[in-house]
């Protein structure tokens, strides 16, 4: 396991995991918007990577997007705001439709396992309300939300 936040037995807090994630992937860190998304949206997305113990490969991105759709709660105004952003069109521009479809099909079994786990969560992860959880160990958060490695 290359990063401590990826270990399911880590006592590292969510905030410590996020710092390690940004040290590993500095291109996602910073204060500015990223891929047409406001910084708060990017940080909330990166928190999901840490919570799930995932890196930044395209397959792992698909798992995080599945978690976001099925395992997170959002205020209605945030859903409307996110739909207005150019994230999907930016992904198509960067990766191309054919490459995204091929990645999706190759990752489909893992996505289906993830969907099963996320639908059965006892409560949804507060996508934009993660701050109260930042000092809680990842191991404890994963148990509380009944997450498991995929």
């Amino acid at each position: 396991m290359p990063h401590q936040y990826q270990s399911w037995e880590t006592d590292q807090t969510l905030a410590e995991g996020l710092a390690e994630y940004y040290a590993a992937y500095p291109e996602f860190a910073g204060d500015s918007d990223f891929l047409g998304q406001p910084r708060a949206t990017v940080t909330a997305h990166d928190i999901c990577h840490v919570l799930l113990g995932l890196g930044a490969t395209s397959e792992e991105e698909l798992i995080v997007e599945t978690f976001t759709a099925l395992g997170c709660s959002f205020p209605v105004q945030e859903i409307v705001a996110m739909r207005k952003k150019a994230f999907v069109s930016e992904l198509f521009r960067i990766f191309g439709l054919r490459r995204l479809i091929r990645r999706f099909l190759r990752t489909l079994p893992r996505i289906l396992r993830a969907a099963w786990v996320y639908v059965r969560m006892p409560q949804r992860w507060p996508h934009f309300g993660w701050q109260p959880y930042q000092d809680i160990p990842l191991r404890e958060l994963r148990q509380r939300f009944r997450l498991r490695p995929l």
Side-chain angles (χ1 to χ4, degrees):
M1 193 106 357
H3 304 292
Q4 186 179 346
Y5 78 87
Q6 293 178 305
S7 168
W8 284 76
E9 298 303 318
T10 185
D11 285 322
Q12 189 178 47
T13 67
L14 183 60
E16 292 166 340
L18 183 63
E20 182 182 29
Y21 179 83
Y22 284 147
Y25 305 102
E27 63 272 23
F28 303 132
D31 295 328
S32 59
D33 295 354
F34 186 76
L35 292 179
Q37 294 295 306
R39 177 46 47 188
T41 302
V42 174
T43 302
H45 174 85
D46 294 341
I47 285 287
C48 293
H49 277 272
V50 172
L51 183 64
L52 299 173
L54 297 174
T57 67
S58 56
E59 286 104 358
E60 290 166 315
E61 284 295 336
L62 289 169
I63 299 299
V64 170
E65 292 304 328
T66 302
F67 175 73
T68 302
L70 299 175
C72 292
S73 62
F74 295 91
V76 174
Q77 66 270 25
E78 292 295 339
I79 294 171
V80 171
M82 285 189 314
R83 291 190 70 214
K84 292 180 181 177
K85 301 298 178 188
F87 180 67
V88 173
S89 60
E90 190 68 20
L91 282 178
F92 284 127
R93 186 185 68 73
I94 292 170
F95 296 109
L97 179 61
R98 191 168 151 194
R99 183 175 170 198
L100 285 174
I101 289 172
R102 190 171 56 239
R103 282 292 173 192
F104 176 78
L105 292 175
R106 200 163 77 201
T107 312
L108 188 59
R110 197 170 171 197
I111 291 171
L112 293 174
R113 281 193 309 274
W116 178 249
V117 169
Y118 304 150
V119 171
R120 298 180 66 210
M121 290 170 58
Q123 65 189 52
R124 302 285 154 241
W125 176 255
H127 195 261
F128 290 105
W130 57 269
Q131 293 84 353
Y133 298 97
Q134 65 185 344
D135 295 323
I136 299 175
L138 286 166
R139 173 186 39 78
E140 191 176 312
L141 289 173
R142 291 165 178 161
Q143 289 170 352
R144 183 183 302 181
F145 287 88
R146 290 193 197 150
L147 298 171
R148 58 186 165 136
L150 299 166

